[in-house]
Amino acid sequence: MELDQLDRDIIAALVDDARQTYADIGHQVGLSASAVKRRVDRLRETGAITGFSARVSPQALGWTTEAYVELFCQGKTKPSDIALAVTRFPEVVAAATITGEADALLHIRATDVRHVERVIERIAAMAFVVRTKSSIVLSRLVDTPPGAAVPEARNTSATPS
Amino acid sequence: MELDQLDRDIIAALVDDARQTYADIGHQVGLSASAVKRRVDRLRETGAITGFSARVSPQALGWTTEAYVELFCQGKTKPSDIALAVTRFPEVVAAATITGEADALLHIRATDVRHVERVIERIAAMAFVVRTKSSIVLSRLVDTPPGAAVPEARNTSATPS
DNA sequence: ACTGAAAGCCGAGCCTG
DNA sequence: CAGGCTCGGCTTTCAGT
């Protein structure tokens, strides 16, 4: 699946504001509305664009506290086991297996510090968990909606302007 | 700013699909289209909804590799210094100051492992950085678009079903 | 504060260059 | 593969309850 510069510009425009009209996007990228629509349709077909979502302010919804938790598991634990277990916690908004000492890293959103504590407590109680190591987020410095930047522009890679 | 259950249902619907018609949302939550629109307008005014964005598949755009990097900084380093510095890297999609040994945690998206290495190299070269500790993501287990769950439903908190 | 109707405008499909 | 056109339908607004 090849993406040219036009596709990337369209994606960037839609990440910025998914409710723009096709005509507006066309103006930005230099295409007509129908041409933009056909490209957007294709981008959705191919899976480059997976959907459209409202951006919400977590703190406005009451999620004022977040934490990162490293998970140390028993040797025989499968990644799918971890996935299955943590999916059940709505507070776990992200999770990944990682290299290094820990087996997995969880990203947790909660209403307050006490809430974080309760969640970690219950996660640590799971059978395959040996121990956890958690860090409370003091202040969020960056939170980029993914897709804002495009990797193919190699000059920007690892080269702060 | 108070959010009642209707507002939360509307937000959940818009997070799921930001391009639904107001009539559809109204059907789901039991309101007319115009009532839904006015509530959405208010939610945008108050900042609960910050915008609408296309969901893109990072790997479809070429971001196939991600990593988490712990930053250990000099004692006099201000969070704003870190923020300013890492914002310049498009690869840093998230950053936060945290409790614990490290001063900050960065979330990096790159095209491949080599790219990750280059970025970390340049981050480590910054004046205030004493050392870094990085973990490559092996597989992503969970990636929840934020706002899908609502904290006020206290029964679900820390209580996997 | 929600409902319902009227007017403007966008989106989807087809057809042409 | 991009552009232009048309109609159905959604968004928006306003009056009404």
Side-chain angles (χ1 to χ4, degrees), chain B residues 87-141:
Chain B
T87 302
R88 309 173 70 170
F89 293 90
E91 291 88 354
V92 177
V93 295
T97 53
I98 56 174
T99 65
E101 300 156 45
D103 296 297
L105 181 63
L106 312 183
H107 182 192
I108 289 175
R109 267 195 217 280
T111 54
D112 51 44
V113 178
R114 186 77 190 84
H115 187 182
V116 170
E117 190 180 28
R118 284 206 309 275
V119 177
I120 294 173
E121 208 171 296
R122 292 197 56 99
I123 288 171
M126 297 188 298
F128 58 78
V129 176
V130 174
R131 73 182 179 96
T132 65
K133 182 182 166 188
S134 39
S135 304
I136 301 278
V137 169
L138 298 174
S139 73
R140 182 146 292 279
L141 307 173

Side-chain angles (χ1 to χ4, degrees), chain B residues 30-32 34-35 38-39:
Chain B
L31 244 54
S32 75
S34 13
R38 264 181 314 114
R39 290 180 98 108

